[in-house]
Amino acid sequence: MSIWELFVKSFVEDGGYKEVLRGLAVTLVTAICALIIGIILGTIVAFTQIAKGKGPILRFFKGFFKVYVSIFRGTPIAVQLLFIYFVIFPAIGLGLMKAEIVGLIIFGLNSGAYVSEIMRGGILSVDKGQSEAGRALGLNNTQTMLKIVVPQAVKNVIPTIGNEFISLLKETSVLSFIGVMDLTKAFREIGSANYEYTIPYLILAISYLVLVFIASGIVKLIERRMRASDNR
Amino acid sequence: MIIAKNIYKSFGKVSVLNGISCEIKKGEKVVIIGPSGSGKSTFLRCMNLLETPTNGEIWFDDKLINEVDPYLHDDLIEKSNTCKKLIQSNIDTESALLKIKEEKLLKKYEGKEFRLAVKEFTKANHIDINFARRKVGMVFQHFNLFNNLTVLQNLTLAPVQLKIKTKEQAEEKAMALLKRIGLEEKANAYPSTLSGGQKQRIAIIRALAMEPDVMLFDEPTSALDPEMVGEVLELMKDLANEGMTMVVVTHEMGFAKEVASRILFMDGGVIKEENSPKEFFSNPKDLRLKEFLSKVL
Ligand SMILES: Nc1ncnc2c1ncn2[C@@H]1O[C@H](COP(=O)(O)OP(=O)(O)OP(=O)(O)O)[C@@H](O)[C@H]1O
Ligand SMILES: [Mg+2]
């Protein structure tokens, strides 16, 4: 059998495509959920970091988040997966949690660290005069943030958030470190069925390329929409 | 309407305002001039607490809008531990007060009686700054129109958010104001599509949409191309003629001469001279002012 025939056999006849589809779903779901967790978490962290005030609670959270961001930005995601899944979760009694869920949480935490920096930059990039004008009209800090600063910040960060999503898509390929059947692992299984990896890994690479291509297209579309909506 | 009492402001180690007192009365048009860096903007921004004074008090309509400055209240100082101690050591009350004020002797904690007195004074006189700001319009050098909102939304945001008007009422008022400056057709445009003069006139009516009692202007024409200065000054003159109380920082001497009821000259963080426009320009006394006028006139 040629390597192509070998691939077709394990992909179609032995049902490998089912694994691949499931793996694709896991990859996409992990990336999307991680981004959502990341945006929520990152926004909370960013607002805490730029909040003014000297209260002990605020100071505690500022310190806590600073440590969180340094750890998650300062270590490789693969190490985070291994350490949290095999060491921390069992230690706190969560050793039986499904690897897919743990992976998703860890990617969310990881993304939150990066998004917090993006959001902070986005908020700080809005001209100070914008919030001053809001405050001078009598709006309080929250109203000024929600109605004036955040909408402009979000617009500024959309391209960067898009890049973050593309990174996430690719980085999820290390999920197999904790045994999750993602796109990468699905193709590896097909390859190892008859020790022939050329075609599976080629298609794997192409699949990521296509995913990234589609994701970039969507980001560009959103950007263009936002620009058209207020033709600045 | 606005009373500034002995305002000091420093940024870190740099002291920018060094004891400014002045009163803006209803209907007055006060113009502030002075060399660059003399603290004009900082003082103006203290009036609506965009900058918090380091010392001193700002009163708006007989209400205190920043923190109590105990050094301005003898009756408060008298309740402090420091003052009590001084009096115990056989100094009479008057000299004790003087000494404390001169040498800034009050500490963070001055005893329960002092703290309670400050609290009580605050309760009786203080109002929330967000409330005061509704009645104090401000116009900035760089317009600061909200970039993410249309002109109409810029004009209605605050009145609607603060529940002063319904959306319909606010829009009606906004359209009337736009009509007044001849820019109705820009209601749905975004600020980025407007000229500087248009932006600044809209910034002015954005403040007017809150129906303020007093308007603060910080060099409203300095960022404009020369051909657009006129339209903004015209609008400001109209406001002045309608009786609006105005405080204007500007380099437009013609405007000052024509509109001001009083001109303040600031230099080095203090008011060096204060006079009616006529006296101010024809008979300046302060040396720095003479120098300044010879340069700008
Ligand atoms: N936020 C700030 N932080 C530090 N220094 C400041 C700040 N704002 C103002 N200053 C300093 O305070 C001084 C007075 O500034 P201010 O803007 O009040 O002057 P001005 O009289 O308005 O000058 P100009 O005519 O140039 O507008 C300047 O030396 C400025 O550098
Ligand atoms: Mg200034």
Side-chain angles (χ1 to χ4, degrees):
Chain A
M1 274 203 278
S2 71
I3 55 171
W4 176 251
E5 282 160 350
L6 275 175
F7 173 73
V8 170
K9 180 176 176 296
S10 53
F11 189 74
V12 184
E13 286 156 30
D14 299 346
Y17 70 93
K18 282 187 215 146
E19 292 291 283
V20 166
L21 284 181
R22 270 211 298 148
L24 177 67
V26 168
T27 293
L28 286 176
V29 167
T30 306
I32 291 170
C33 291
L35 187 73
I36 293 170
I37 296 173
I39 289 175
I40 295 168
L41 199 59
T43 308
I44 294 170
V45 173
F47 271 105
T48 311
Q49 300 293 30
I50 58 175
K52 292 191 197 87
K54 295 194 178 78
I57 300 172
L58 183 65
R59 281 232 299 269
F60 168 76
F61 276 106
K62 278 189 181 196
F64 180 77
F65 285 148
K66 203 167 167 186
V67 172
Y68 153 67
V69 171
S70 331
I71 290 177
F72 276 88
R73 282 170 45 114
T75 55
I77 181 75
V79 175
Q80 291 162 22
L81 282 174
L82 294 173
F83 194 72
I84 295 176
Y85 184 67
F86 290 115
V87 180
I88 295 185
F89 269 42
I92 57 174
L94 294 172
L96 293 178
M97 200 182 250
K98 278 181 70 180
E100 281 86 355
I101 306 291
V102 180
L104 195 151
I105 293 172
I106 297 170
F107 269 97
L109 289 172
N110 180 278
S111 178
Y114 285 94
V115 174
S116 73
E117 298 283 297
I118 299 172
M119 282 293 183
R120 199 165 73 119
I123 291 165
L124 294 179
S125 74
V126 177
D127 179 23
K128 206 163 138 253
Q130 294 285 308
S131 52
E132 281 183 353
R135 298 306 305 274
L137 286 164
L139 299 173
N140 64 30
N141 190 38
T142 314
Q143 290 167 324
T144 308
M145 276 291 167
L146 289 183
K147 294 287 168 181
I148 301 160
V149 179
V150 171
Q152 295 184 46
V154 165
K155 210 176 125 184
N156 291 347
V157 301
I158 278 183
T160 331
I161 296 279
N163 285 340
E164 168 65 13
F165 179 66
I166 289 167
S167 306
L168 277 171
L169 260 182
K170 292 182 290 185
E171 280 173 355
T172 52
S173 64
V174 297
L175 275 171
S176 62
F177 277 46
I178 56 169
V180 176
M181 181 65 80
D182 73 325
L183 193 61
T184 303
K185 187 147 192 254
F187 275 105
R188 193 162 76 202
E189 304 272 291
I190 291 175
S192 49
N194 24 32
Y195 301 103
E196 178 41 63
Y197 293 98
T198 315
I199 303 282
Y201 282 176
L202 185 65
I203 296 180
L204 174 63
I206 293 171
S207 312
Y208 276 113
L209 264 177
V210 171
L211 286 181
V212 168
F213 186 76
I214 294 171
S216 321
I218 293 172
V219 174
K220 288 236 172 63
L221 205 72
I222 296 174
E223 266 180 74
R224 199 165 323 137
R225 272 273 176 80
M226 295 209 74
R227 216 172 303 139
S229 76
D230 64 6
N231 57 70
R232 277 192 254 163
Chain B
M1 178 151 286
I2 298 180
I3 303 176
K5 292 184 181 170
N6 203 27
I7 300 298
Y8 284 79
K9 172 70 183 177
S10 38
F11 295 103
K13 285 209 169 76
V14 191
S15 74
V16 175
L17 301 180
N18 301 302
I20 292 195
S21 299
C22 94
E23 176 172 3
I24 315 288
K25 296 210 180 69
K26 193 168 161 35
E28 265 195 311
K29 296 94 185 60
V30 176
V31 169
I32 303 176
I33 66 170
S36 181
S38 55
K40 306 181 297 293
S41 300
T42 306
F43 178 48
L44 198 73
R45 290 158 59 81
C46 280
M47 289 190 199
N48 66 352
L49 246 52
L50 282 185
E51 303 290 355
T52 317
T54 320
N55 279 301
E57 293 177 350
I58 306 277
W59 291 71
F60 174 70
D61 274 349
D62 299 323
K63 288 289 175 191
L64 180 64
I65 59 172
N66 67 334
E67 273 175 37
V68 184
D69 181 353
Y71 289 107
L72 296 174
H73 306 279
D74 288 355
D75 50 335
L76 289 180
I77 300 177
E78 276 177 39
K79 297 206 167 71
S80 69
N81 285 346
T82 308
C83 186
K84 285 178 198 161
K85 262 180 227 152
L86 282 175
I87 290 170
Q88 267 166 20
S89 61
N90 277 331
I91 299 176
D92 65 282
T93 313
E94 209 148 301
S95 0
L97 288 174
L98 213 66
K99 189 174 160 69
I100 289 176
K101 281 192 264 189
E102 229 151 62
E103 297 170 27
K104 300 261 179 265
L105 292 178
L106 291 181
K107 299 189 208 69
K108 247 203 175 124
Y109 186 71
E110 281 291 355
K112 203 171 166 195
E113 201 190 343
F114 176 79
R115 211 189 59 205
L116 279 178
V118 169
K119 211 167 150 188
E120 214 160 276
F121 185 90
T122 306
K123 205 174 151 203
N125 294 293
H126 189 269
I127 55 160
D128 182 46
I129 181 59
N130 289 329
F131 233 76
R133 280 175 179 156
R134 297 177 181 195
K135 288 291 161 198
V136 183
M138 183 158 212
V139 176
F140 301 85
Q141 182 174 355
H142 296 287
F143 331 126
N144 296 350
L145 291 179
F146 305 131
N147 292 325
N148 57 322
L149 303 178
T150 63
V151 167
L152 191 64
Q153 289 166 337
N154 262 276
L155 298 173
T156 57
L157 178 71
V160 174
Q161 281 292 312
L162 298 172
K163 303 200 166 63
I164 294 166
K165 290 194 166 77
T166 65
K167 189 157 175 275
E168 290 71 33
Q169 290 169 333
E171 283 180 356
E172 196 177 319
K173 169 99 185 171
M175 287 313 294
L177 286 165
L178 279 172
K179 190 164 178 196
R180 166 180 180 166
I181 59 170
L183 290 177
E184 303 116 291
E185 81 277 13
K186 297 290 185 193
N188 295 313
Y190 279 88
S192 58
T193 63
L194 306 171
S195 75
Q198 292 172 334
K199 282 184 196 168
Q200 193 61 302
R201 286 185 292 143
I202 286 165
I204 292 172
I205 62 168
R206 176 177 67 181
L208 286 179
M210 291 293 291
E211 296 169 4
D213 293 334
V214 50
M215 298 260 289
L216 312 176
F217 296 83
D218 190 1
E219 301 198 30
T221 57
S222 296
L224 296 177
D225 291 336
E227 72 269 21
M228 291 170 185
V229 171
E231 61 192 67
V232 171
L233 290 181
E234 273 316 305
L235 178 57
M236 290 170 64
K237 281 178 202 165
D238 281 352
L239 284 181
N241 289 333
E242 284 163 19
M244 176 62 75
T245 311
M246 296 162 72
V247 184
V248 186
V249 173
T250 186
H251 293 294
E252 295 289 334
M253 296 302 150
F255 178 84
K257 261 182 203 163
E258 190 183 332
V259 177
S261 41
R262 185 151 56 102
I263 304 182
L264 311 181
F265 173 67
M266 275 184 70
D267 187 35
V270 295
I271 297 175
K272 280 274 176 67
E273 188 154 336
E274 175 171 358
N275 226 326
S276 68
K278 210 168 147 232
E279 276 293 300
F280 189 89
F281 287 107
S282 62
N283 190 15
K285 291 171 198 74
D286 182 75
L287 207 69
R288 289 279 291 160
L289 174 56
K290 283 183 192 167
E291 210 178 294
F292 180 77
L293 288 178
S294 73
K295 266 186 225 147
V296 297
L297 289 180

